Amino acid sequence: MSLPHATKVLVIGYVWPEPRSSAASGHVMQILERFLQQGWDITFSSPAGVGEHKADLAALGIHECPIELNNSSFDTFISQLAPDIVLFDQFMMEEQFGWRVEKHCPDALRVLETSDLQSLRHARHQRLKDRLKTSADDNDFSDLFAPALREEFELMAGTDLAKREIAALYRCDLNLMISPVEIELLVQQFKLPRELLHWCPLMPDIPATGHTPFENRAHFLSIGNFRHAPNWDAVLWMKNALWPLIRQQLPGAQLHLYGAYTPPKATALHNPAQGFHVMNWAEDALQVMSAARICLAPLRFGAGIKGKIVDAMLCGTPTVTTPIGAEGMHAGEPWPGVIGESAEALAAAAVALYQDQTLWTQAQQQGDQLLAARYRRSEHGPALIECLQACRRNLTQRRRDNFTGAMLRHHAHKSTQYMAQWIEAKNRHGESSTSDTRG
């Protein structure tokens, strides 16, 4: 009698994970760690190049296998691997490889890990750009921060990106959503069946030890990958509007900005005379966060939930942010810091928290409470595994019930398949022509 094989999981990543560079990669790693705890056999593949901060997956026991876009070598690879579950990291990977997975491993559960709803983030970015074109006011952005879900839908619905992303969500058997706000947007406005969506927030390893005390901390801190557009916009708003207001009230204040892949345009903002320090990449984000007194996250657009704010709570560092920064993160729990809608309000809150130890300690305690209430790995990890196993048991019925997804797969995957095959043939022809010329 043969023993049942370990569940095989193939993860197709948009990039190779860099958990110390982005919250999205951190979330992927948390999911992988949960799979490893189940004893599952994991292979991670990506068509992307390897970044300088890539996680050592092999050291964790995860197989690594580079793959290529528009190349039938993937068909052989996945047929031989025969995974039970395929996890697409971001919807573009489902677009590229979903039809190949369905063709060669039709019984594999297809899961999409969204990180954030990209079409929502891009629509909000466009709304900010339009606002900046029509108004010179660099202070109050309250009109951007509290739209109803219907308004968000109307911003997104006409965009090609939303049509592509929502279609990918329908085509998958299950979608992992990091923000409950995005779940409600998809269910109420885009009419996705709720059973296609599973809330899977960040699942940090919450430390049992205490935090660095108020009197042993100094300076303000902001952290985030500079390649991520919301982070770069926040840096510019801090430089031009928020930080000058803080320095008026705290002339000796310093802001330390950390981020992976610091571009020259960011380095050019470095100005010690103004207390504005661009510090490049942080080797240990939690260490620098624990040394800071206040985390600034003045995000004017974005989606998902914010890894930098979870890190701040882990370190007991109060956060001053906007409604965009806090969205989907605290439900009815008190916010561990202050939420403001203008540069003036954010600056006033940051100064008050920086100087008032009582306020600061209260915010720190609220961060501990929020982590325990909404981000416990011991709760969300098992819930994820249970959901995946239930989906596998009922896969035939789930697919029958999701007729819209089946219809989209039928049409979109055919066109994607023919396009991919055409590109592959074109590439082969180009290589052959090059070879003939060189010969």
Side-chain angles (χ1 to χ4, degrees), residues 144-360:
L144 301 184
F145 290 144
L149 291 181
R150 183 65 191 179
E151 293 178 59
E152 301 282 30
F153 169 77
E154 290 175 354
L155 272 176
M156 300 164 63
T159 67
D160 289 345
L161 186 62
K163 292 167 187 172
R164 290 172 53 200
E165 186 169 27
I166 304 303
L169 296 174
Y170 265 113
R171 287 193 297 262
C172 287
D173 301 311
L174 183 69
N175 301 279
L176 306 184
M177 305 300 301
I178 203 166
S179 168
V181 172
E182 293 175 7
I183 291 176
E184 295 310 311
L185 174 64
L186 291 170
V187 171
Q188 294 180 28
Q189 300 301 323
F190 288 95
K191 308 305 180 185
L192 261 82
R194 191 176 292 273
E195 56 268 22
L196 288 182
L197 309 173
H198 176 75
W199 180 43
C200 183
L202 293 172
M203 300 178 286
D205 186 10
I206 301 174
T209 56
H211 304 301
T212 305
F214 177 87
E215 59 272 14
N216 292 349
R217 295 172 180 248
H219 313 313
F220 295 84
L221 177 139
S222 187
I223 192 167
N225 192 323
F226 286 112
R227 288 179 175 174
H228 192 51
N231 292 338
W232 176 240
D233 176 74
V235 168
L236 294 178
W237 195 31
M238 280 189 285
K239 176 70 172 180
N240 297 327
L242 178 57
W243 187 244
L245 292 172
I246 292 175
R247 286 277 287 191
Q248 284 177 13
Q249 300 173 72
L250 298 173
Q254 294 185 38
L255 171 61
H256 294 169
L257 288 136
Y258 290 90
Y261 301 106
T262 309
K265 63 182 181 181
T267 306
L269 299 179
H270 181 70
N271 191 327
Q274 297 175 353
F276 200 90
H277 300 267
V278 179
M279 310 292 286
N280 298 318
W281 185 64
E283 182 74 28
D284 186 338
L286 297 183
Q287 182 180 47
V288 297
M289 185 70 80
S290 293
R293 190 172 289 179
I294 303 292
C295 172
L296 294 179
L299 296 158
R300 294 191 288 189
F301 73 98
I305 63 175
K306 312 306 178 289
K308 61 178 69 65
I309 295 177
V310 171
D311 284 350
M313 289 190 284
L314 291 171
C315 297
T317 308
T319 298
V320 176
T321 190
T322 63
I324 290 290
E327 182 182 79
M329 294 201 66
H330 64 120
E333 299 291 328
W335 184 251
V338 178
I339 301 168
E341 299 184 351
S342 67
E344 286 183 355
L346 292 167
V351 170
L353 272 172
Y354 194 88
Q355 294 180 313
D356 190 325
Q357 184 171 357
T358 301
L359 278 178
W360 187 92

Side-chain angles (χ1 to χ4, degrees), residues 100-153:
R100 295 185 185 273
V101 172
E102 182 173 20
K103 181 177 181 180
H104 297 285
C105 296
D107 296 330
L109 181 72
R110 297 184 294 270
V111 183
L112 176 58
E113 199 283 310
T114 60
S115 294
D116 68 0
L117 204 55
Q118 294 186 38
S119 49
L120 174 61
R121 168 161 44 89
H122 282 258
R124 286 173 168 176
H125 194 183
Q126 187 57 52
R127 181 171 60 193
L128 174 62
K129 290 176 182 177
D130 294 342
R131 157 72 167 73
L132 294 175
K133 287 177 184 176
T134 57
S135 174
D137 177 17
D138 204 23
N139 174 42
D140 188 353
F141 290 86
S142 55
D143 55 324
L144 301 184
F145 290 144
L149 291 181
R150 183 65 191 179
E151 293 178 59
E152 301 282 30
F153 169 77

